[in-house]
Amino acid sequence: MTATLRAVQADITTLQLDAIVNAANSSLLGGGGVDGAIHRAAGPELVHECRLLGGCKIGDAKVTKAYRLPAKFILHTVGPVWRGGGHGEADLLASCYRRSIEVAATKGISSLAFPGISTGVYGYPVELAANVAISSVRKALREHSSMTEVIFCCFSAEDLAIYDRLLNSAAA
Ligand code: ADP
């Protein structure tokens, strides 16, 4: 089965899918941006479960329940801070997307949504990040055929326009 890949403009906490992905920091104990929004919407039980996970390395992903969110699970992944592009940022960002899909597959998750990992406070340029995101997800989906739907959840109309353009132009 081929998974549907598309971009939407939404608050990721509202999406009704098997899982949403959180752009967390390595403590997994909550932060600003999308991380703060997810923790607020999921409720305080989330941070209790996160405390038991012992943090997460950059480029890796861990899974929790989603508590008060409409999704069933949250994948927490830690993106790289943008330091100009010469410090392995692209490989680490690609790993975030790949590991999220790998960990999701172990839970039987077949639909999930990603935010623009690292493109907020971590400063990764959106278009460069979107290219990495799309190619890493396409590659991972070839190995995880149980995944049926992957959404790139854009917070702004500008980000959505970038994703739509890249999804329509990049080779499948
Ligand atoms: P990072 O620290 O990985 O850069 P941020 O949370 O600062 O993470 O930003 C990541 C992306 O998430 C940015 O594109 C930001 O606009 C977006 N974002 C922030 N809040 C939400 C939300 N509620 N739903 C979807 N995307 C969001």
Side-chain angles (χ1 to χ4, degrees), residues 10-13 23 32-35 37 115-123 153 155 159:
D11 173 347
I12 201 166
T13 64
V34 72
D35 194 8
I117 298 162
S118 287
T119 64
V121 173
Y122 283 4
C153 180
F155 209 36
D159 292 357

Side-chain angles (χ1 to χ4, degrees), residues 23-34:
N25 58 51
S26 51
S27 77
L28 297 184
L29 299 181
V34 72

Side-chain angles (χ1 to χ4, degrees), residues 19-79:
I20 63 167
V21 178
N22 180 19
N25 58 51
S26 51
S27 77
L28 297 184
L29 299 181
V34 72
D35 194 8
I38 288 172
H39 275 269
R40 275 192 302 280
E45 296 98 329
L46 176 58
V47 80
H48 294 153
E49 185 175 355
C50 284
R51 264 195 207 107
L52 306 174
L53 298 176
C56 183
K57 294 203 180 83
I58 298 171
D60 200 2
K62 295 200 173 171
V63 64
T64 66
K65 291 184 282 184
Y67 300 96
R68 298 177 197 172
L69 295 180
K72 298 190 196 92
F73 295 99
I74 302 168
L75 281 311
H76 303 265
T77 188
V78 184

